Amino acid sequence: MTRSGGPGSAAADGWRFPNPATPPGSADYYSIRFSAAGRRDALAALFALRRELRHILVQVSDPGVARRKLDWWRDEIGRGLEGRAQHPLCRPLEPAQRSHALPLDPFLDMARRVEDELQGSRSTTRAAHWHRLGDDRGALFQLICHCHWDPCNRLTDDATLAGARDAGAWCTQVRQLRAVGRLLRQGREIAPQDLLEQIGLSQSELVRTAMAQSAQAGTGGPHPDPSRRARLCGLLAELAPAPFPAAAAAALPLPIRIQLRIHAALLQELVRADFDLLDRRIGLTPLRKLWIAWRTSRS
């Protein structure tokens, strides 16, 4: 790890808050902005590390190269937790690692989720699908809990960590609904096999529908089958998560509570659009996210 004043100091500073994974105006930015100042850099670095792992899926086209890059990050995470990382991204995590001994498993869970997607594996049941969603932001939220540990709270007991994982899965599900068109055009999974069979759709049909809509928007080609598009909207409505339990949310650190409330407001907008999301992206304005984050910080 390059120390203060060395040639890597400026590079490390680029990963402090705010960084490319937590740009001003984003939900991730506001969830950190209202946190204690001493934690912001570590939290921003956790979001950035997840972003680097996820970007392997879209930035590396060769599967072999992508797996090697993922393996490198796995090794680098292990080195970072031992205080000898090579990548400047790991530098802002050092204080949290010294104070809270961040566990390795949630980092590996995020990497495993990326590996599953690289391999094109699919979830067969809703339970399996939810578990995989938890391996993404759920693992990140568990690490956020560890960053908030102190002797006076219980933020790293099993129940709270399980709640953090469910909160991350919940937010990931909302984000997948919003990005459904892009995800399908990339051939990514949005629903488990048992739910697709229940509604009478297949992964290949979903991809064809998304590609047809994209072609129509770009070149004036034929619209996708209206009945298939209607079934897709029904599928997305079925995937929409129930409200996250208030009691479980209350036990979680402020950054996660802010994330939950912002994503709950986003879900309301998706419902108002009747989940017709194949060719549009719905979001909240930065001002609305700021208002939600401020109110959450005061409650």
Side-chain angles (χ1 to χ4, degrees), residues 93-177:
L93 289 175
E94 282 189 315
Q97 174 59 14
R98 286 195 299 267
S99 301
H100 307 312
L102 300 179
L104 177 61
D105 285 348
F107 290 103
L108 296 182
D109 288 344
M110 288 190 286
R112 183 177 66 245
R113 177 65 179 127
V114 173
E115 183 172 30
D116 286 343
E117 294 185 58
L118 286 173
Q119 294 174 342
S121 60
R122 306 291 182 189
S123 302
T124 57
T125 66
R126 295 193 195 197
H129 182 67
W130 186 260
H131 180 80
R132 292 177 68 171
L133 295 176
D135 281 344
D136 185 13
R137 279 190 175 245
L140 172 66
F141 284 10
Q142 286 183 326
L143 289 166
I144 290 174
C145 282
H146 282 280
C147 285
H148 285 76
W149 179 90
D150 67 57
C152 298
N153 66 37
R154 294 167 53 85
L155 287 177
T156 56
D157 65 13
D158 290 344
T160 304
L161 291 175
R165 199 171 189 89
D166 281 340
W170 194 93
C171 291
T172 301
Q173 183 68 85
V174 175
R175 296 172 79 89
Q176 285 194 352
L177 292 174

